[in-house]
Amino acid sequence: MSNIVVLGAQWGDEGKGKVIDLLAKDFDYIVRYQGGNNAGHTVVIGDETFVLHLIPSGILHKKKICIIGNGVVIDPKALIDEIGKLESKSIDVKGRLFISENAHIIFPYHKVFDELKENQKDESKIGTTKKGIGPCYADKVSRSGLRVADLMNDKIFKQKLKENVEEKNKILKILYGFDGFRFEELYEKYGSFRPKIKEFVCNTTLILNKALKKKKSVLFEGAQGTMLDVDYGTYPFVTSSSASAGGACTGTGVGPTRINKVIGVVKAYTTRVGEGPFPTEFTRDMMDKIRTKGCEFGATTGRPRRCGWFDSVIVKYSVMVNGISEIVITKLDVLDELEKINICVGYKYNGKLYEHFSPDREMIENCQPVYEQMDGWQEKTVHIKSFWKLPKNAKSYLKRIQKIIGTKIVLISVGSERKQTIVVE
Ligand code: GDP
Ligand code: IMO
Ligand code: MG
């Protein structure tokens, strides 16, 4: 059995939750390696809809072991709430959920920094989820953050938290006139989380590597998407972690030689939430139509998602930087009613054609997408179970995407339920 990474190849919300849930049954371990509760991964099982933010989507398979790796940032309150929500639906996580002692912890001051910076509303606004993700990763990199292991050790926790609160309060006051936090309050609040998460905390790197030695299989669950990756995305309009395939190694302690394959999840069109360049973004009427048909509202913040045509430039780039060898196309059904469908095959800027993604911000913000137009199929696809039964024009659309991307499509999703999936033979 091989070990694979499944990640988003666009700007997030590609349908990773559904795909992970489908694949998880064939794996022993499912691991989140980056991000935090900025993610919202939806899994629909019959009449029940689950939205997972921190816990891997594999948790819905009762016997699977799920790991939150060291590359993830954890808001303990959000984690405890998520565990409670699962337990209220009779999904027991005890004994099969493990949390890395090296994962960093989100504190209320991270959220306040995130919010205050965002509320300044100048050109630097990113449109974050305001969950404190960026400031928490910033503390990690500046070596002042607190890790889960620190929370488990009262002496270290007290000292490090005190230092942090003192420093953050000064900055908050000077920069934003914000009154700050009381150390005792935070110390008590986070201390009360300790007994609730203690049983899950361990050396997950060791667990994973021991499992790999025993030939157990691991599914790495990406959050966000490649275009939101802090290195490869549309910086600065990105998240603060490595959402690309490399993050699976640094975020878990599993070496690259152990990973056999990377699968990219790709929506049949494009969406993004928050600010930042989006060359193929629809104009008003199409935006309303696709947003409504595709229920394009954030699974974490409820914000309306921006929608646009399929952009092969960014997907080709994702294939390259992640080493993607297989693609899953989701939400094909959302395009069912369209008469004409566009595929972006390049960007035009200053009289020049760009067929490859470039990090040049000036270009990506001001370019004109170059489209190939295809005929729509104008038939329902939600009930279709085999590639050959898809309408002719839907097959042509998928084949064209496959050709441009140069990567084979192995699964097609035509609805949010497990059974609304076509395996491409
Ligand atoms: P993730 O963050 O990548 O896991 O994606 P989200 O859960 O944030 O957003 C994907 C949304 O699309 C969810 O509401 C899914 O239930 C839904 N979805 C997934 N696949 C399909 C599909 O093939 N067709 C339709 N119509 N909805 C889908
Ligand atoms: P999943 O895993 C879509 C976006 C935010 C914002 C930017 C930075 O469900 O695909 P952050 O709060 O991370 O500092 O925000 O990243 N963003 C997402 N967009 N899906 C997500 O997760 C996202 N997580 C963060 O909207 O533009
Ligand atoms: Mg999502």
Side-chain angles (χ1 to χ4, degrees):
M1 173 57 78
S2 60
N3 307 306
I4 69 170
V5 180
V6 175
L7 49 72
Q10 293 156 315
W11 277 287
D13 303 325
E14 296 89 349
K16 298 175 292 293
K18 171 178 170 170
V19 176
I20 302 279
D21 170 66
L22 278 175
L23 301 179
K25 64 179 188 333
D26 297 324
F27 289 82
D28 300 305
Y29 290 72
I30 298 95
V31 192
R32 268 283 302 272
Y33 57 87
Q34 45 71 232
N37 60 324
N38 48 349
H41 297 173
T42 314
V43 181
V44 180
I45 305 174
D47 309 330
E48 288 243 63
T49 297
F50 299 85
V51 181
L52 295 139
H53 300 283
L54 266 170
I55 298 175
S57 306
I59 202 76
L60 304 176
H61 292 261
K62 295 202 165 157
K63 296 223 164 87
K64 303 298 173 183
I65 298 177
C66 289
I67 290 185
I68 298 179
N70 55 275
V72 175
V73 287
I74 299 176
D75 180 333
K77 168 86 172 55
L79 176 68
I80 292 162
D81 287 351
E82 198 165 322
I83 292 172
K85 245 188 198 159
L86 287 170
E87 285 179 345
S88 75
K89 292 186 174 183
S90 304
I91 294 164
D92 197 5
V93 304
K94 295 202 168 85
R96 64 190 191 96
L97 174 68
F98 299 100
I99 300 167
S100 169
E101 53 199 3
N102 282 349
H104 278 249
I105 299 178
I106 298 177
F107 285 90
Y109 48 78
H110 291 131
K111 286 199 256 185
V112 165
F113 270 116
D114 199 353
E115 208 164 318
L116 290 172
K117 195 159 184 211
E118 282 292 288
N119 289 347
Q120 282 182 328
K121 281 209 169 133
D122 56 10
E123 279 206 348
S124 66
K125 188 178 167 194
I126 289 164
T128 74
T129 58
K130 298 185 179 171
K131 302 285 182 191
I133 306 294
C136 182
Y137 276 114
D139 276 359
K140 170 179 173 172
V141 176
S142 75
R143 297 164 293 184
S144 59
L146 278 93
R147 299 184 296 180
V148 172
D150 301 326
L151 176 61
M152 294 301 126
N153 180 324
D154 188 57
K155 196 170 146 223
I156 294 177
F157 181 65
K158 195 172 194 172
Q159 180 213 331
K160 287 190 84 171
L161 182 65
K162 204 165 196 170
E163 282 168 19
N164 267 281
V165 172
E166 276 169 14
E167 187 196 63
K168 307 300 181 211
N169 280 351
K170 278 187 207 151
I171 302 172
L172 284 166
K173 187 79 196 167
I174 294 166
L175 284 186
Y176 304 103
F178 183 88
D179 272 345
F181 291 89
R182 283 188 48 233
F183 161 75
E184 289 77 15
E185 231 169 74
L186 288 189
Y187 174 65
E188 204 171 300
K189 188 173 170 191
Y190 274 64
S192 76
F193 296 146
R194 190 181 296 135
K196 294 184 182 143
I197 60 172
K198 197 173 186 310
E199 66 182 295
F200 304 108
V201 179
C202 58
N203 182 342
T204 52
T205 298
L206 197 59
I207 290 186
L208 277 171
N209 282 285
K210 275 187 175 171
L212 288 167
K213 226 173 193 170
K214 286 188 192 152
K215 303 267 179 272
K216 300 283 184 199
S217 54
V218 182
L219 173 56
F220 297 87
E221 172 175 348
Q224 288 77 55
T226 306
M227 300 314 290
L228 289 171
D229 180 283
V230 68
D231 284 279
Y232 302 110
T234 42
Y235 192 89
F237 302 100
V238 293
T239 190
S240 299
S241 66
S242 300
S244 55
C249 294
T250 54
T252 61
V254 170
T257 52
R258 302 288 196 175
I259 293 171
N260 307 93
K261 188 159 72 178
V262 181
I263 298 182
V265 185
V266 179
K267 223 176 252 191
Y269 47 101
T270 314
T271 61
R272 92 171 286 177
V273 196
E275 308 303 315
F278 185 173
T280 65
E281 188 165 13
F282 291 137
T283 47
R284 180 82 192 272
D285 282 358
M286 267 304 283
M287 180 80 84
D288 289 347
K289 197 171 181 168
I290 295 298
R291 183 181 285 153
T292 307
K293 180 86 201 288
C295 299
E296 294 296 358
F297 296 89
T300 297
T301 58
R303 287 177 294 172
R305 294 175 184 150
R306 298 157 66 193
C307 306
W309 294 116
F310 185 86
D311 185 343
S312 73
V313 179
I314 64 159
V315 178
K316 261 194 323 198
Y317 172 73
S318 284
V319 165
M320 179 179 79
V321 301
N322 293 306
I324 290 172
S325 60
E326 294 177 4
I327 273 184
V328 178
I329 297 277
T330 62
K331 305 192 91 159
L332 184 72
D333 55 296
V334 176
L335 306 181
D336 280 355
E337 283 149 30
L338 303 183
E339 203 181 322
K340 297 280 177 197
I341 302 179
N342 288 338
I343 298 178
C344 169
V345 292
Y347 306 144
K348 227 177 188 163
Y349 179 62
N350 271 348
K352 209 176 142 194
L353 178 69
Y354 292 79
E355 286 176 324
H356 298 282
F357 179 77
S358 150
D360 177 354
R361 196 169 154 188
E362 192 72 26
M363 186 281 278
I364 191 87
E365 278 173 0
N366 298 297
C367 66
Q368 287 302 314
V370 178
Y371 290 119
E372 250 181 49
Q373 191 164 70
M374 302 197 66
D375 290 327
W377 44 95
Q378 299 187 286
E379 271 178 64
K380 276 199 181 344
T381 56
V382 284
H383 57 282
I384 294 179
K385 301 277 182 288
S386 109
F387 180 78
W388 300 110
K389 296 220 165 115
L390 281 170
K392 180 172 154 282
N393 289 349
K395 282 190 288 217
S396 304
Y397 181 63
L398 294 166
K399 282 183 182 167
R400 187 67 194 130
I401 285 176
Q402 186 167 261
K403 180 94 196 295
I404 300 169
I405 304 306
T407 312
K408 64 177 182 250
I409 296 170
V410 291
L411 277 183
I412 300 156
S413 174
V414 289
S416 49
E417 288 198 35
R418 280 175 175 171
K419 61 176 192 274
Q420 291 176 300
T421 311
I422 300 169
V423 179
V424 183
E425 302 298 340

